[in-house]
Amino acid sequence: MELTIQMFLIVCPLVFLASFVDAIAGGGGLIALPAYLLAGVPMHNAIATNKLSSATGTVISTVRLCRNKFVDWGLALPCVSMALLGSYIGANLALLASDKLLKWMLLPVLPIVAFYVLKKKNLDENSEVELPRARQWIICGISSLVVGCYDGFYGPGTGTFLLLCYTGLAKMNVRNASGNMKLANLSSNGAALAVFLFSGKILVPLGLAASVFSIAGHYVGSGLVMKNGSRIVRPVILVVITLLFIKIIFDL
């Protein structure tokens, strides 16, 4: 399709905003994907091109968090490997199927997740309970597989769901959960990106331009995570869940 200047003017600033939010608590796809659609990009091209810009930006926030020791490397293997597998499966399904069924499935889940976050005054209170390492491996692996599949298939809110799984189920503190979430999210983005590249659905010039703004947003957002920790993560999670719920209802 023919790209216009208006497309770049619409997509790039909104991708910066999306990446800023995504670096803090995930969910940047709630802003980025509609930005591509608003610019007139067809759905499959929008999903594919968004993977290019989001993956490049996620590299920056992931590297910053890793360098500042925000990652539990003992749990990195199940988080990364299962997210890769899940995203590969989900991305292939996305090329074949409609996402309407998945949206219907999410409708009852999102209010429950929001209630859980509201009930927890501090997400770090989960880390007071220590789980055996083997159990954490299993929980992180299953969570990363399921959420990775969702990321490849649909996407918005992936980082938020991973963060809640790691803190609520695997009992990781917000600091390490944020780092591991970024590792897993980067892996799932990479797997889906590879599938979409081979499918020829990515609008490369637009995706590369948006990537520059994505990198800037992730750099600024990850800096806030390192400074404010769980104080900024919790309210952003609630906003992301609310926006995703509204978006799904509107789409249906």
Side-chain angles (χ1 to χ4, degrees):
M1 65 172 294
E2 183 181 353
L3 298 177
T4 65
I5 295 297
Q6 286 82 357
M7 288 182 176
F8 288 85
L9 292 176
I10 293 172
V11 168
C12 291
L14 288 175
V15 164
F16 173 84
L17 176 62
S19 302
F20 174 79
V21 171
D22 197 66
I24 296 172
L30 293 169
I31 302 170
L33 187 57
Y36 284 99
L37 298 175
L38 182 64
V41 179
M43 174 60 79
H44 279 89
N45 296 105
I47 293 174
T49 309
N50 180 49
K51 282 300 175 190
L52 174 58
S53 57
S54 63
T56 52
T58 303
V59 170
I60 300 303
S61 57
T62 303
V63 169
R64 287 197 78 184
L65 293 175
C66 289
R67 289 181 61 185
N68 286 274
K69 301 179 180 179
F70 272 63
V71 175
D72 184 338
W73 290 106
L75 295 174
L77 180 59
C79 293
V80 170
S81 59
M82 291 297 100
L84 277 168
L85 177 60
S87 183
Y88 177 79
I89 296 170
N92 279 284
L93 289 175
L95 294 173
L96 301 173
S98 166
D99 61 358
K100 194 168 185 178
L101 176 61
L102 184 60
K103 291 177 181 178
W104 278 111
M105 291 170 60
L106 280 174
L107 279 179
V109 172
L110 291 174
I112 296 173
V113 174
F115 176 77
Y116 169 81
V117 177
L118 285 169
K119 186 178 178 182
K120 295 287 183 182
K121 294 182 179 180
N122 182 1
L123 292 177
D124 264 334
E125 68 187 68
N126 296 298
S127 62
E128 296 174 2
V129 180
E130 292 188 7
L131 292 181
R133 203 60 167 175
R135 188 177 299 177
Q136 280 189 313
W137 260 65
I138 294 171
I139 292 173
C140 286
I142 294 174
S143 300
S144 301
L145 177 66
V146 173
V147 179
C149 188
Y150 165 79
D151 187 32
F153 190 93
Y154 185 53
T158 294
T160 304
F161 294 140
L162 285 172
L163 191 62
L164 290 173
C165 287
Y166 293 164
T167 56
L169 300 178
K171 308 302 181 186
M172 298 172 67
N173 59 53
V174 170
R175 177 188 178 94
N176 288 337
S178 297
N180 284 63
M181 174 267 282
K182 277 299 160 193
L183 275 176
N185 204 357
L186 177 60
S187 302
S188 65
N189 278 341
L193 178 60
V195 173
F196 291 136
L197 274 172
F198 282 111
S199 73
K201 296 293 184 181
I202 296 178
L203 305 177
V204 177
L206 180 60
L208 290 177
S211 294
V212 175
F213 287 81
S214 178
I215 289 170
H218 272 278
Y219 185 84
V220 176
S222 59
L224 283 180
V225 171
M226 291 186 289
K227 290 179 181 178
N228 297 311
S230 61
R231 284 183 297 173
I232 194 170
V233 168
R234 185 170 174 268
V236 172
I237 286 177
L238 288 172
V239 172
V240 168
I241 291 171
T242 302
L243 289 176
L244 180 54
F245 187 76
I246 293 171
K247 181 180 185 300
I248 290 174
I249 291 178
F250 180 78
D251 288 346
L252 292 174

